[in-house]
Amino acid sequence: MDKLEHYRDCIQEVLTKHGSAQLQHSEVDNELIFDTIRDRYQWMRIGWNGLHRVYHIVMHFDIRDGKIWIQQNMTDVNIAEELVDMGVPKEDIVLGLHPPYKRPYTGYGVA
């Protein structure tokens, strides 16, 4: 398996693992979006909580220039470490949710 396919599989596995849990509110659904053409991957919550609209991204990954970019993580899960445990080198993970000036100090990749 080449590197790009491995990274796609890792991201989809992480999103499926964490995005498959049942929610307390039956009118809110988890939706997993896998765009393997453009390498964009998201876990979203969509629906209604009473009179309040729920529409937000829980996790968002991109693959750019051979690196996995973590664009959003609204959970307590350390998804970067999960990716490392799956065989993704730290230098190929960019914490895009941190500003560029902080990334060199994270121990992960920079772009």
Side-chain angles (χ1 to χ4, degrees):
M1 179 183 303
D2 74 352
K3 177 176 149 179
L4 182 59
E5 281 301 317
H6 177 61
Y7 289 0
R8 287 176 176 149
D9 288 347
C10 290
I11 291 169
Q12 291 178 45
E13 185 175 326
V14 167
L15 288 172
T16 300
K17 174 183 168 186
H18 296 293
S20 298
Q22 290 288 357
L23 298 173
Q24 295 176 348
H25 307 288
S26 62
E27 296 180 32
V28 177
D29 294 321
N30 284 320
E31 292 196 10
L32 300 178
I33 301 168
F34 300 154
D35 179 351
T36 56
I37 303 286
R38 294 169 196 84
D39 283 321
R40 309 280 188 258
Y41 306 88
Q42 294 181 342
W43 161 21
M44 296 188 69
R45 287 195 173 139
I46 301 172
W48 289 90
N49 183 10
L51 297 176
H52 300 279
R53 176 77 171 146
V54 175
Y55 185 88
H56 66 269
I57 298 168
V58 181
M59 286 186 188
H60 175 169
F61 298 89
D62 294 331
I63 300 176
R64 293 184 190 169
D65 300 323
K67 295 183 179 185
I68 296 175
W69 284 67
I70 300 173
Q71 303 287 15
Q72 177 82 307
N73 180 13
M74 299 300 289
T75 71
D76 293 332
V77 177
N78 187 339
I79 51 177
E81 282 304 312
E82 286 193 15
L83 291 170
V84 169
D85 292 343
M86 298 169 89
V88 178
K90 281 187 162 188
E91 61 269 14
D92 281 357
I93 300 170
V94 178
L95 303 179
L97 44 79
H98 290 307
Y101 71 89
K102 284 187 177 180
R103 292 181 199 151
Y105 307 106
T106 64
Y108 290 94
V110 296

